[in-house]
Amino acid sequence: VLRTRLTDRFGLDHPVISAPMGVAAGGVLAGAVSRAGGLGLIGVGYADEDWLREQQRLAGDTPVGVGFITFRLAGDPRLLDVAIDSAPAAICLSFANPAPYVARIRDAGIPLLCQVQTLRDARHVLDLGVDVIVAQGTEAGGHGERRTTMTLVPEIADLIAGRSPETLLCAAGGISDGRGLAAAIALGADGVLVGTRLWASQEAIVHPAEHRAVVAATGDDTIRSRVIDIVKGFDIWPARFDIRTLRSATTDRWHGRESELRAVADEEVARFADAMARGDAEQAGATVGEAIGLIHDIAPAREILRRLTVEAEAVLRAGATLAR
Amino acid sequence: VLRTRLTDRFGLDHPVISAPMGVAAGGVLAGAVSRAGGLGLIGVGYADEDWLREQQRLAGDTPVGVGFITFRLAGDPRLLDVAIDSAPAAICLSFANPAPYVARIRDAGIPLLCQVQTLRDARHVLDLGVDVIVAQGTEAGGHGERRTTMTLVPEIADLIAGRSPETLLCAAGGISDGRGLAAAIALGADGVLVGTRLWASQEAIVHPAEHRAVVAATGDDTIRSRVIDIVKGFDIWPARFDIRTLRSATTDRWHGRESELRAVADEEVARFADAMARGDAEQAGATVGEAIGLIHDIAPAREILRRLTVEAEAVLRAGATLAR
């Protein structure tokens, strides 16, 4: 057992939260993670309240949390009500300013996680009184920014130690095995948010062809780009965020030529939707992070959590034997 | 004492190699690092053989190593002779293919370190039979690429374990304190290459105004760009490499407008040289990595190495107590 402030505070067996990956992290995955002793989050992404209710049903009786793209809540305020009414284990807000939503979540007594990508953002959400800061490095799959887990986590740990020591810190980005979990703890995190490794689980909502493509790839094969947002028809993101995916024929063709792509966006959106539906991994490019080079199978979520902590324990024990 | 395969193989007291930072890492710094029980490297950068000889003299009697920008050796083949003739503690090659130089270095019995930025490069230098692979993440200051320390290190550790277990692995990029060193060991490294933290040492060749600017900055304040190479008059780098520096008026003005900048390069090169000479940190932008947010003083190299291992030992011991 790997016991941290995160496992103590949330009553977990593993210091692991599943990332609220839009589409991939539905109720089946979130429920499996929570039942295995982690904290499972449903990733609402671009979905609506009917989808969220259905996923909450699929999660079963085990408490799970809900993760939102913060700036989507402005356009669909009912979504947050649905989440709050279900008394989730946590609510996680990522991307854009969470300030308008903090009071409602706190008044409902729901633990609030905020995912940040810079020290500046961390200062802001600390002022808002969040319970857990998730420091997301650029290695992460999906939307994110430029700073890396390796330096962002200890820098935010120092900020927390100086201003609000009871706030918890989780590392996100690049963590797919026990070495990454052990490293995150060494850097000052109380736990980790795991996306890509759980994307590569049997419970994730992922096309089998995308799973196969990712197991075969190395960490050299991902790219941060705006291209995928454009061809998905979601060219709505603040300029600071882009999206990391597997490199694909689509990113190879358009990365660096975004203005040209926008000029033919309608056509390319249709083409991409078709490729996604066919599970054409070569065109589509799975939404995964750099840690794919450490992933060699599609395992059950419970087994993934078990490996993470068993390996991390072994790594930490071995590390201590070097210090003598 | 933190004992690893690196300290055993090189007879060190600390599993720490100083990065061969062009300009900043002269003989005084390299000598101080080696005398403190690490492995000090002189960073030749764009300098010539007279400069290298002078720095080797300044390093004193303690053995130090020499680090080259690999593609510069083609234009100045005498440089490698000067290094080899001095029987250095190691030679480190970074950027571009080291193949043409491996045999001469190996025949002279000098340990060869190769710094790589991708798994693909790591496979190549492993085939060449290097002694130490330095896995450099994008968080590093100076020239580099996109992959991060957090995923590149364990992925290369797996490669080494499968193909050439006697090869050593060092992590570079983002490591400025004991947490980073402990994390690197957790990720599978035998030691670390430390740049930015030793750039911020009393022995580094750095203008005091740049030191002050970096101590005051956070990790949010650096940027990877081609701008600084252009305005330095060294627009000679392969397209895959750019350079991380402190953001400055120069990068703010020109980043993303590199073609326009190249059109007025002569004028901007003169302006930048003048800013550098004046120690105008606002214009110039120090060559440092993301880990500057963890640096709060300009310390002697010996003290920096001591802190790195004392802190790392404490972190590793504390980590082991979580596993129970």
Side-chain angles (χ1 to χ4, degrees):
Chain A
V1 182
L2 198 51
R3 199 172 157 187
T4 71
R5 299 198 307 164
L6 183 75
T7 61
D8 286 353
R9 190 86 63 91
F10 284 83
L12 308 177
D13 298 323
H14 304 283
V16 178
I17 302 172
S18 61
M21 301 170 281
V23 186
V28 173
L29 176 58
V33 168
S34 284
R35 275 189 298 279
L39 172 57
L41 299 183
I42 293 170
V44 177
Y46 305 125
D48 61 16
E49 57 179 289
D50 290 339
W51 183 90
L52 174 54
R53 282 205 183 86
E54 171 66 6
Q55 298 304 321
Q56 288 176 317
R57 192 185 64 72
L58 290 170
D61 293 336
T62 322
V64 299
V66 180
F68 292 105
I69 300 170
T70 312
F71 68 79
R72 293 284 289 177
L73 292 175
D76 194 351
R78 282 282 304 150
L79 270 174
L80 188 57
D81 295 332
V82 171
I84 289 176
D85 291 350
S86 73
I91 287 179
C92 180
L93 300 180
S94 309
F95 314 115
N97 184 5
Y101 311 106
V102 171
R104 283 167 62 200
I105 296 166
R106 193 163 27 191
D107 290 351
I110 300 164
L112 174 58
L113 288 54
C114 281
Q115 184 164 256
V116 301
Q117 290 79 26
T118 62
L119 180 68
R120 187 191 156 124
D121 287 339
R123 285 180 175 145
H124 176 61
V125 302
L126 211 56
D127 288 341
L128 296 175
V130 302
D131 299 290
V132 182
I133 294 181
V134 179
Q136 186 204 33
T138 192
E139 20 313 61
H143 289 95
E145 282 197 62
R146 289 288 168 278
R147 290 218 44 193
T148 64
T149 303
M150 198 79 181
T151 70
L152 187 60
V153 169
E155 200 171 349
I156 295 180
D158 288 341
L159 175 74
I160 288 174
R163 293 215 336 215
S164 175
E166 73 283 3
T167 303
L168 301 184
L169 175 61
C170 286
I175 300 153
S176 273
D177 65 17
R179 291 172 293 188
L181 171 53
I185 287 172
L187 293 171
D190 301 297
V192 293
L193 192 88
V194 172
T196 299
R197 176 62 269 203
L198 287 163
W199 181 97
S201 71
Q202 293 173 4
E203 292 88 348
I205 305 172
V206 173
H207 196 287
E210 292 204 323
H211 268 166
R212 283 193 297 273
V214 161
V215 167
T218 80
D220 292 353
D221 299 329
T222 74
I223 184 172
R224 279 209 166 278
S225 173
R226 292 184 197 291
V227 166
I228 296 298
D229 280 332
I230 301 173
V231 297
K232 275 188 176 167
F234 286 102
D235 193 9
I236 57 176
W237 283 78
R240 54 187 280 204
F241 301 112
D242 52 14
I243 179 168
R244 185 181 294 282
T245 64
L246 202 60
R247 281 182 53 189
S248 66
T250 306
T251 58
D252 285 354
R253 182 170 176 202
W254 293 113
H255 184 65
R257 298 171 55 210
E258 286 76 6
S259 329
E260 287 172 76
L261 172 57
R262 287 188 173 107
V264 294
D266 287 352
E267 190 180 325
E268 290 299 315
V269 165
R271 190 204 303 269
F272 191 79
D274 180 57
M276 292 274 281
R278 281 184 289 108
D280 181 344
E282 202 172 309
Q283 289 293 328
T287 305
V288 291
E290 262 194 11
I292 54 172
L294 308 170
I295 295 174
H296 309 295
D297 65 355
I298 306 300
R302 173 177 296 275
E303 170 64 10
I304 291 169
L305 265 60
R306 191 193 67 79
R307 287 184 203 164
L308 275 164
T309 52
V310 168
E311 287 173 18
E313 284 170 20
V315 164
L316 291 169
R317 288 203 189 96
T321 68
L322 301 176
R324 51 194 168 178
Chain B
V1 184
L2 197 52
R3 200 173 155 186
T4 71
R5 301 198 307 165
L6 183 74
T7 60
D8 285 353
R9 189 86 63 90
F10 284 83
L12 308 177
D13 298 322
H14 304 283
V16 178
I17 302 173
S18 61
M21 300 170 280
V23 187
V28 173
L29 177 58
V33 168
S34 283
R35 276 190 298 280
L39 172 57
L41 299 183
I42 294 171
V44 178
Y46 304 125
D48 62 16
E49 57 178 289
D50 291 338
W51 183 89
L52 173 55
R53 283 205 183 85
E54 170 66 5
Q55 299 303 322
Q56 288 176 317
R57 191 186 64 72
L58 290 170
D61 293 336
T62 322
V64 300
V66 181
F68 293 106
I69 299 169
T70 312
F71 68 79
R72 295 283 289 179
L73 292 174
D76 193 352
R78 282 281 305 147
L79 269 175
L80 188 57
D81 295 332
V82 171
I84 288 175
D85 291 350
S86 72
I91 287 179
C92 181
L93 300 180
S94 310
F95 314 115
N97 184 5
Y101 312 105
V102 170
R104 282 167 63 200
I105 296 166
R106 192 161 30 189
D107 290 352
I110 300 165
L112 174 59
L113 288 53
C114 281
Q115 185 163 256
V116 301
Q117 291 78 26
T118 63
L119 180 70
R120 187 191 156 123
D121 287 339
R123 285 181 176 143
H124 176 62
V125 302
L126 211 56
D127 288 341
L128 296 175
V130 301
D131 300 290
V132 182
I133 294 182
V134 179
Q136 186 203 33
T138 191
E139 32 292 74
H143 289 94
E145 284 198 62
R146 288 287 169 279
R147 290 219 44 194
T148 64
T149 302
M150 197 78 182
T151 71
L152 187 60
V153 169
E155 200 170 350
I156 296 180
D158 289 340
L159 175 74
I160 288 174
R163 293 211 342 212
S164 176
E166 72 284 2
T167 304
L168 301 185
L169 175 61
C170 286
I175 299 154
S176 273
D177 65 18
R179 291 173 293 189
L181 171 53
I185 287 172
L187 293 171
D190 301 297
V192 292
L193 193 88
V194 172
T196 300
R197 175 63 269 202
L198 287 162
W199 181 98
S201 71
Q202 293 172 4
E203 292 88 348
I205 305 171
V206 173
H207 195 290
E210 291 203 326
H211 267 165
R212 283 193 296 274
V214 160
V215 168
T218 81
D220 292 352
D221 299 328
T222 74
I223 185 171
R224 281 210 163 278
S225 173
R226 293 184 195 291
V227 166
I228 297 297
D229 280 333
I230 301 173
V231 297
K232 276 188 176 167
F234 286 102
D235 194 10
I236 58 176
W237 282 78
R240 55 186 279 204
F241 301 113
D242 52 16
I243 180 169
R244 186 182 293 282
T245 63
L246 202 60
R247 281 182 53 189
S248 66
T250 307
T251 58
D252 285 352
R253 181 169 176 204
W254 292 112
H255 184 65
R257 297 170 53 211
E258 286 76 6
S259 328
E260 287 172 75
L261 171 58
R262 286 187 173 106
V264 294
D266 287 352
E267 189 181 327
E268 290 300 316
V269 165
R271 189 204 303 267
F272 191 79
D274 180 58
M276 292 274 281
R278 282 183 287 108
D280 181 344
E282 201 173 309
Q283 289 292 328
T287 305
V288 291
E290 260 193 13
I292 54 171
L294 308 172
I295 295 175
H296 309 295
D297 65 356
I298 306 300
R302 174 176 295 274
E303 169 65 10
I304 290 168
L305 265 60
R306 191 193 67 80
R307 287 184 203 165
L308 274 163
T309 53
V310 168
E311 287 173 17
E313 285 169 21
V315 164
L316 291 168
R317 288 202 189 97
T321 68
L322 301 177
R324 51 191 168 180

